Amino acid sequence: MVQLGNILLRYSVMIFMLHVIIWSSNNYKLIVMADVPAIFVFGDSTVDVGTNNYLHGSLATANNPYYGIDYPHHVATGRFSNGYNPADFIARHLGDYTESPPAFLALVQKQSTFKSGILRGVNFASAGSGILDDTGNQGFHNVTSLTRQIEQFQTVCGNITQILGDVKGSKLIANAFYFLSVGSNDFFDQFRFNYNISTPELIADLSDTFTIHLQNLYNLGARKFGICGIPTIGCLPGIRAVTPGGACNETLNGYAQIFFNTTLSLLQDFSSANPGMNFSLGNYFLMTTGVIDNPVASGFVEVEAACCGTGPYKGGYKCTQNSDVCKKRDEYLFWDWFHPTQKASEMAALSLLYATGQEFVTPINFTTLATIQH
């Protein structure tokens, strides 16, 4: 019975993802069911829109070709994608946005327009960062930690209150949508540098620290949290490239599954303890597993190798102008050694936004979460 249940679940995953493809290609942004006053984005390279372009000496950057090859005018904005990332698609469907709000560090470059620019939202995400403050520093030298991202948000909150006044400012902050995509790099660092810490200790440390981050955001007025779980990080091209036989690394995949369950329990406890806090948790692991197991049903042809890169599975290094780059990018699940294509990002975002049931997103989808008023 368990095996049959798993087969049926996988089948439902594939059917839903196929419907997402058909829906998105034929009815792109057909209807917006929510209209949030602002969107604030936190996390890592999965939702970074250019933060690290402003970090001196950072090795986690994507402001070179062929990144952005499918972005308007083929601009390499700092997104780790051939075009848009999930934050862009989430923003488009939750309000009158063409893409994610701009990066905080981009906004502060123009002080004359900074205050007016923050009223629709800000993206604080930084490639290479994680839940723990030290994550990314050893490998990438300079990243904006999640702690620092929240400190930047505190600055933004102060400016919003100054512009709108206490009552209107607090209302905007409470009704804004908070999108968090973070956690993979904490496990990558453990994988790369083999820190002397057991899996239970690492999970507990991440859980406790993530709770502190959420509490800090809540104390600043955040109430609606859309959070992404970790995908099948053991099956990324950059991991396959260093795994014998090109297999998935099941230790990394195990981390992702354990942390999803831990995060769900954490969020349930946190929402019970903090009045007015609502959340939606996306199961990226289940989404990507369904695609990898049956790519044809999801509209993909290649789900192991990257579209742009070098070496085995094109997972030897990030995408550069000297990399091999595929032509049919919508047929690829992965854009570079660690990140999805624009097409895969769109599919994931639509699942987060509109999926029914609780396989892909729980307890409610992102659109329902966004419509809650405070």
Side-chain angles (χ1 to χ4, degrees):
M1 285 298 292
V2 173
Q3 185 177 9
L4 177 61
N6 288 336
I7 292 171
L8 291 173
L9 178 58
R10 291 285 174 81
Y11 180 75
S12 68
V13 169
M14 292 183 288
I15 293 298
F16 178 79
M17 297 304 278
L18 181 60
H19 288 169
V20 165
I21 295 169
I22 297 171
W23 185 92
S24 63
S25 60
N26 295 333
N27 303 286
Y28 183 70
K29 202 179 179 184
L30 180 64
I31 184 169
V32 175
M33 298 176 64
D35 189 13
V36 296
I39 297 175
F40 296 102
V41 183
F42 303 83
D44 55 29
S45 58
T46 54
V47 288
D48 186 346
V49 295
T51 292
N52 287 18
N53 297 349
Y54 301 93
L55 299 182
H56 180 70
S58 178
L59 300 180
T61 56
N63 55 350
N64 61 272
Y66 290 103
Y67 290 104
I69 190 172
D70 296 313
Y71 189 84
H73 309 295
H74 314 295
V75 177
T77 60
R79 290 167 171 82
F80 289 76
S81 171
N82 56 305
Y84 293 105
N85 69 31
D88 296 304
F89 294 112
I90 295 295
R92 287 185 188 183
H93 286 262
L94 291 186
D96 187 20
Y97 299 85
T98 58
E99 60 184 23
S100 165
F104 174 81
L105 294 183
L107 288 168
V108 298
Q109 303 299 312
K110 301 177 181 179
Q111 284 298 316
S112 60
T113 58
F114 175 76
K115 289 186 176 180
S116 60
I118 63 176
L119 292 177
R120 293 303 314 283
V122 180
N123 188 315
F124 303 93
S126 173
S129 67
I131 293 170
L132 305 178
D133 284 351
D134 290 337
T135 295
N137 289 329
Q138 186 171 349
F140 301 113
H141 297 178
N142 193 4
V143 304
T144 302
S145 68
L146 188 53
T147 294
R148 180 60 183 146
Q149 292 177 38
I150 296 170
E151 290 172 352
Q152 293 171 344
F153 174 62
Q154 184 175 12
T155 299
V156 167
C157 288
N159 280 276
I160 289 175
T161 301
Q162 189 179 52
I163 297 167
L164 300 179
D166 289 341
V167 175
K168 290 184 178 179
S170 296
K171 187 174 181 63
L172 183 149
I173 293 167
N175 285 296
F177 190 88
Y178 296 82
F179 183 31
L180 290 84
S181 181
V182 68
S184 296
N185 290 316
D186 297 289
F187 295 112
F188 286 142
D189 272 14
Q190 172 70 3
F191 176 74
R192 292 175 66 188
F193 305 117
N194 195 24
Y195 298 131
N196 187 25
I197 184 172
S198 68
T199 298
E201 288 174 326
L202 177 59
I203 295 295
D205 194 10
L206 289 170
S207 179
D208 292 344
T209 305
F210 197 38
T211 301
I212 293 170
H213 291 315
L214 294 175
Q215 191 67 61
N216 288 337
L217 285 169
Y218 179 88
N219 292 344
L220 289 168
R223 293 295 181 270
K224 297 188 285 190
F225 296 82
I227 298 171
C228 294
I230 299 172
T232 51
I233 54 176
C235 298
L236 297 172
I239 300 300
R240 287 187 187 271
V242 296
T243 304
C248 294
N249 183 295
E250 295 306 332
T251 298
L252 284 171
N253 283 343
Y255 286 151
Q257 291 175 293
I258 293 169
F259 193 62
F260 176 85
N261 293 329
T262 301
T263 302
L264 178 57
S265 178
L266 177 164
L267 289 170
Q268 290 169 339
D269 292 343
F270 188 85
S271 62
S272 297
N274 292 275
M277 186 273 187
N278 299 100
F279 73 90
S280 177
L281 177 62
N283 194 336
Y284 266 178
F285 190 91
L286 185 58
M287 293 182 204
T288 51
T289 299
V291 173
I292 291 171
D293 285 353
N294 195 322
V296 175
S298 303
F300 291 107
V301 174
E302 177 56 68
V303 296
E304 294 184 356
C307 171
C308 183
T310 57
Y313 300 94
K314 294 186 183 177
Y317 189 59
K318 77 171 193 172
C319 179
T320 72
Q321 199 163 10
N322 297 321
S323 300
D324 295 326
V325 61
C326 69
K327 292 182 179 179
K328 297 180 179 180
R329 292 178 281 279
D330 284 354
E331 294 183 355
Y332 279 68
L333 175 61
F334 298 109
W335 161 244
D336 70 1
W337 57 342
F338 286 107
H339 304 97
T341 56
Q342 173 178 261
K343 185 63 179 181
S345 291
E346 181 183 20
M347 288 175 58
L350 291 172
S351 297
L352 294 171
L353 287 157
Y354 301 113
T356 56
Q358 297 194 13
E359 292 89 356
F360 298 115
V361 61
T362 187
I364 54 178
N365 62 37
F366 278 23
T367 304
T368 303
L369 175 66
T371 60
I372 296 172
Q373 295 296 309
H374 292 279

